[in-house]
Amino acid sequence: MTNMRDAAMNSKAWPFEEARALLKRYEKAPPEKGYVLFETGYGPSGLPHIGTFGEVLRTTMIRRAFEVISDIPTRLICFSDDMDGMRKVPGNVPNQERLAEDLQRPLTSVYDPFEEFESFGHHNNAMLRRFLDTFGFEYEFYSATEFYKSGQFDEVLKRAVERYDDIMKVMLKSLREERQQTYSCFLPIHPETGRVLYVPMKKVDAETYTITFDDPEGREWTLPVTGGNVKLQWKPDFGARWAALDVDFEMYGKDHSTNTPIYDRICEILGGRKPNHFTYELFLDDKGEKISKSKGNGLSIDEWLSYASTESLSYFMYQKPKTAKRMHFDVIPRAMDEYHQQLRAYPDQTDEQKVANPVFHIHGHNVPASDMVVSFSMLLNLASVASAEDKETLWGFIRRYAPEATPETHPGLDAAAGYAVRYFNDFVKPAKVYRLPTDLERQALVELRDALKDWGGPMDAEELQGLVFAVGREKFDPLRDWFKALYEVLLGASQGPRFGGFIALYGVQETVQLIDRALDGDFA
């Protein structure tokens, strides 16, 4: 462990860089509260999406890295901003007309369009917790509604009344002139309609801790800021929450980055110490547009998990968090294969290499062994040539290739075979485009077929790759044109696995028959 800690203190892996910066926060004295607090926020205006998962996962990776380099206890809070008013009806939920009746009400007072929970906010919070629990995250869940109504936020709200002018000075500088006229950091909840009101304050009273305002009908109201009668606008709310909870670390998307100085300053005005932050780049859909909860574009967690393992998704999230990432179905096979490559490398690595390996940040000290004796991309190609409708078809080939493997002894491989069949049928099959070989390619294919017919060597991927290589080397320059031809003519794809490995898995005689069918024009 000591060696691992030494390696971690020098590691360039981004979770360790962030963890070391956080440790510096307490180099003079440990935290008075007795622990370091990590927080992630969630706006439950729509179903949780994959970006929400990524935020909790990456925060967990930094928390885990911190626990390697420090003995200070840690906590992780997932905070739901469920007291926000619903500004628009999400496009991807049922009962939209009924939902529209509750516009501007706090999300925990909005009708649940799925009619399963007491409110839309409660529904989305439950979905978030289900997602997070699926992945085994250790976290504590906080609801803004409970936080405001229970009195946990009262002291900070009173301080916000006392320092109202200072907060407003920060906020007004960031607003356009017409917005400045009506802006207040306090949003009252209307006592009759229950709607969140965006109205200017007539009076903010530091003696009684009340606010006075006119509602949209012109009636004057005075409400205490405590007890859930009032909430803060979202930017002041960010900083106020940091001050109230004494948050040490929070990460958020690049779209928040310009507000960081505002969040920090309000935290300080309210008597807190600004936390360390980390800004990550946004996730994009297949068209390069930002993934949005209300639009429901991009991949959902459930969609990813239909085609690949949870760990492959974690691996994808680990990679380059400061680079914008396109999240579409076509990123899944590579994530699956690279994750298992890293698993296989891990046991033989030095401590320095281990703490830089993504699988350490996914699993901590309990990195499992990979049981993928066949790669995911190879399973996809096998599903393709076998026109597999179920994973048992693939196991017929796998058993011959790796006799020691069974679904019971290799559960990861078994699950991957199921994913591969589903992925092939949904994405590969509809996009397959075969072509006929050129005269030169036909000559090479005939030569390869004849060499395979006479093959007396072992079913060894490397030796078979050498044979494929030898056939193409005399005829193709660059050689990759030969492999591209094999994929396009035999598999209906523009790229594929190492072809020798494919032959070893699919079978020599089966590959001979595959070539004959392609030469006869059965596919194109």
Short mmCIF file of all heavy atoms in Angstrom, two decimals, residues 19 32 102 123 137 176 191 205 213 255 274 353 380 405 458 461 486 491 498 508 514:
data_model
loop_
_atom_site.label_atom_id
_atom_site.label_comp_id
_atom_site.label_asym_id
_atom_site.label_seq_id
_atom_site.Cartn_x
_atom_site.Cartn_y
_atom_site.Cartn_z
N ALA A 19 -6.83 14.76 -6.78
CA ALA A 19 -6.77 14.34 -5.38
C ALA A 19 -5.62 15.04 -4.64
O ALA A 19 -5.78 15.46 -3.49
CB ALA A 19 -6.61 12.82 -5.30
N GLU A 32 -12.22 20.50 10.04
CA GLU A 32 -12.89 20.53 11.35
C GLU A 32 -14.07 19.56 11.38
O GLU A 32 -14.38 18.98 12.43
CB GLU A 32 -13.39 21.95 11.65
CG GLU A 32 -12.29 22.87 12.15
CD GLU A 32 -12.82 24.25 12.51
OE1 GLU A 32 -14.01 24.35 12.89
OE2 GLU A 32 -12.05 25.22 12.39
N ASP A 102 -48.69 22.33 -14.35
CA ASP A 102 -47.82 22.55 -13.17
C ASP A 102 -46.56 23.34 -13.49
O ASP A 102 -45.61 23.34 -12.70
CB ASP A 102 -47.44 21.19 -12.56
CG ASP A 102 -48.59 20.56 -11.82
OD1 ASP A 102 -49.56 21.27 -11.52
OD2 ASP A 102 -48.53 19.34 -11.54
N HIS A 123 -40.12 11.11 -8.86
CA HIS A 123 -39.90 10.09 -9.90
C HIS A 123 -38.47 10.16 -10.42
O HIS A 123 -37.76 9.15 -10.50
CB HIS A 123 -40.88 10.30 -11.05
CG HIS A 123 -40.67 9.36 -12.21
ND1 HIS A 123 -39.80 9.66 -13.24
CD2 HIS A 123 -41.17 8.12 -12.48
CE1 HIS A 123 -39.80 8.64 -14.09
NE2 HIS A 123 -40.61 7.71 -13.65
N PHE A 137 -22.44 2.69 -6.65
CA PHE A 137 -21.81 3.88 -6.07
C PHE A 137 -22.12 3.99 -4.57
O PHE A 137 -23.22 3.64 -4.13
CB PHE A 137 -22.34 5.16 -6.74
CG PHE A 137 -21.83 5.37 -8.12
CD1 PHE A 137 -22.70 5.44 -9.21
CD2 PHE A 137 -20.47 5.52 -8.36
CE1 PHE A 137 -22.23 5.63 -10.49
CE2 PHE A 137 -19.99 5.72 -9.64
CZ PHE A 137 -20.87 5.77 -10.71
N ARG A 176 -27.78 41.22 -17.86
CA ARG A 176 -28.11 42.30 -18.80
C ARG A 176 -28.98 43.33 -18.09
O ARG A 176 -29.66 43.03 -17.11
CB ARG A 176 -28.85 41.75 -20.01
CG ARG A 176 -28.02 40.82 -20.89
CD ARG A 176 -28.72 40.54 -22.21
NE ARG A 176 -30.05 39.98 -22.00
CZ ARG A 176 -30.29 38.68 -21.82
NH1 ARG A 176 -29.29 37.82 -21.80
NH2 ARG A 176 -31.53 38.24 -21.63
N PRO A 191 -47.72 31.38 -1.73
CA PRO A 191 -48.47 30.62 -0.72
C PRO A 191 -49.77 30.01 -1.25
O PRO A 191 -50.25 29.02 -0.70
CB PRO A 191 -48.78 31.68 0.35
CG PRO A 191 -47.80 32.78 0.12
CD PRO A 191 -47.51 32.79 -1.35
N ASP A 205 -35.76 42.13 4.98
CA ASP A 205 -35.66 42.59 6.38
C ASP A 205 -34.73 41.67 7.18
O ASP A 205 -35.07 40.52 7.45
CB ASP A 205 -37.06 42.60 7.00
CG ASP A 205 -37.08 43.34 8.34
OD1 ASP A 205 -36.06 43.29 9.05
OD2 ASP A 205 -38.12 43.94 8.66
N PHE A 213 -42.79 41.29 -1.29
CA PHE A 213 -42.83 41.38 -2.76
C PHE A 213 -44.29 41.44 -3.20
O PHE A 213 -45.20 41.12 -2.43
CB PHE A 213 -42.15 40.15 -3.38
CG PHE A 213 -42.81 38.86 -2.97
CD1 PHE A 213 -43.81 38.29 -3.75
CD2 PHE A 213 -42.47 38.22 -1.77
CE1 PHE A 213 -44.44 37.12 -3.36
CE2 PHE A 213 -43.10 37.04 -1.39
CZ PHE A 213 -44.09 36.49 -2.17
N ASP A 255 -20.35 24.06 -19.45
CA ASP A 255 -21.37 25.10 -19.57
C ASP A 255 -21.53 25.90 -18.27
O ASP A 255 -22.11 26.97 -18.26
CB ASP A 255 -22.71 24.51 -20.01
CG ASP A 255 -23.13 23.30 -19.19
OD1 ASP A 255 -22.30 22.76 -18.45
OD2 ASP A 255 -24.31 22.89 -19.30
N LYS A 274 -14.56 28.42 -0.59
CA LYS A 274 -14.89 27.86 -1.90
C LYS A 274 -14.22 26.50 -2.07
O LYS A 274 -13.09 26.29 -1.64
CB LYS A 274 -14.48 28.82 -3.02
CG LYS A 274 -12.98 29.04 -3.16
CD LYS A 274 -12.66 30.04 -4.24
CE LYS A 274 -11.14 30.18 -4.40
NZ LYS A 274 -10.79 31.19 -5.39
N GLN A 353 2.58 1.95 -13.09
CA GLN A 353 1.71 1.67 -14.24
C GLN A 353 0.28 1.38 -13.79
O GLN A 353 -0.68 1.79 -14.44
CB GLN A 353 2.27 0.49 -15.04
CG GLN A 353 3.57 0.81 -15.77
CD GLN A 353 4.22 -0.44 -16.32
OE1 GLN A 353 4.20 -1.52 -15.70
NE2 GLN A 353 4.83 -0.32 -17.50
N LEU A 380 -18.49 -9.72 -32.74
CA LEU A 380 -19.39 -9.03 -33.68
C LEU A 380 -19.23 -9.58 -35.09
O LEU A 380 -20.22 -9.79 -35.80
CB LEU A 380 -19.10 -7.52 -33.68
CG LEU A 380 -19.66 -6.70 -32.52
CD1 LEU A 380 -19.21 -5.25 -32.65
CD2 LEU A 380 -21.17 -6.77 -32.50
N ALA A 405 -13.37 -22.90 -22.15
CA ALA A 405 -14.33 -21.84 -21.81
C ALA A 405 -15.76 -22.36 -21.82
O ALA A 405 -16.16 -23.09 -22.74
CB ALA A 405 -14.19 -20.68 -22.80
N PRO A 458 -1.66 -25.73 -37.20
CA PRO A 458 -2.60 -25.63 -36.07
C PRO A 458 -3.60 -24.48 -36.29
O PRO A 458 -3.40 -23.63 -37.16
CB PRO A 458 -1.68 -25.32 -34.88
CG PRO A 458 -0.51 -24.61 -35.49
CD PRO A 458 -0.32 -25.20 -36.86
N ALA A 461 -3.94 -18.36 -34.36
CA ALA A 461 -4.28 -17.07 -34.94
C ALA A 461 -3.07 -16.41 -35.62
O ALA A 461 -3.18 -15.85 -36.72
CB ALA A 461 -4.84 -16.14 -33.86
N LEU A 486 -10.78 -7.87 -47.85
CA LEU A 486 -11.33 -9.03 -47.13
C LEU A 486 -12.58 -8.64 -46.34
O LEU A 486 -13.59 -9.34 -46.37
CB LEU A 486 -10.27 -9.61 -46.17
CG LEU A 486 -9.09 -10.36 -46.82
CD1 LEU A 486 -8.01 -10.66 -45.78
CD2 LEU A 486 -9.56 -11.66 -47.46
N LEU A 491 -17.20 -9.68 -45.25
CA LEU A 491 -17.95 -9.33 -44.03
C LEU A 491 -18.92 -8.17 -44.24
O LEU A 491 -19.70 -7.85 -43.33
CB LEU A 491 -16.97 -8.97 -42.89
CG LEU A 491 -15.99 -10.07 -42.49
CD1 LEU A 491 -15.02 -9.54 -41.42
CD2 LEU A 491 -16.71 -11.29 -41.95
N ARG A 498 -8.19 -8.75 -36.69
CA ARG A 498 -7.06 -9.44 -37.34
C ARG A 498 -7.62 -10.68 -38.01
O ARG A 498 -8.28 -11.51 -37.36
CB ARG A 498 -5.99 -9.80 -36.31
CG ARG A 498 -5.13 -8.63 -35.90
CD ARG A 498 -4.25 -9.00 -34.72
NE ARG A 498 -3.29 -10.05 -35.03
CZ ARG A 498 -2.12 -9.86 -35.64
NH1 ARG A 498 -1.76 -8.65 -36.01
NH2 ARG A 498 -1.30 -10.87 -35.87
N VAL A 508 -11.29 -23.00 -40.33
CA VAL A 508 -10.62 -22.95 -41.64
C VAL A 508 -11.59 -23.33 -42.75
O VAL A 508 -11.73 -22.62 -43.76
CB VAL A 508 -9.37 -23.86 -41.63
CG1 VAL A 508 -8.82 -24.00 -43.06
CG2 VAL A 508 -8.30 -23.29 -40.72
N LEU A 514 -16.91 -19.55 -46.93
CA LEU A 514 -17.27 -18.12 -46.95
C LEU A 514 -16.67 -17.45 -48.20
O LEU A 514 -17.35 -16.69 -48.90
CB LEU A 514 -16.75 -17.44 -45.68
CG LEU A 514 -17.08 -15.96 -45.49
CD1 LEU A 514 -18.57 -15.77 -45.20
CD2 LEU A 514 -16.25 -15.36 -44.35
#
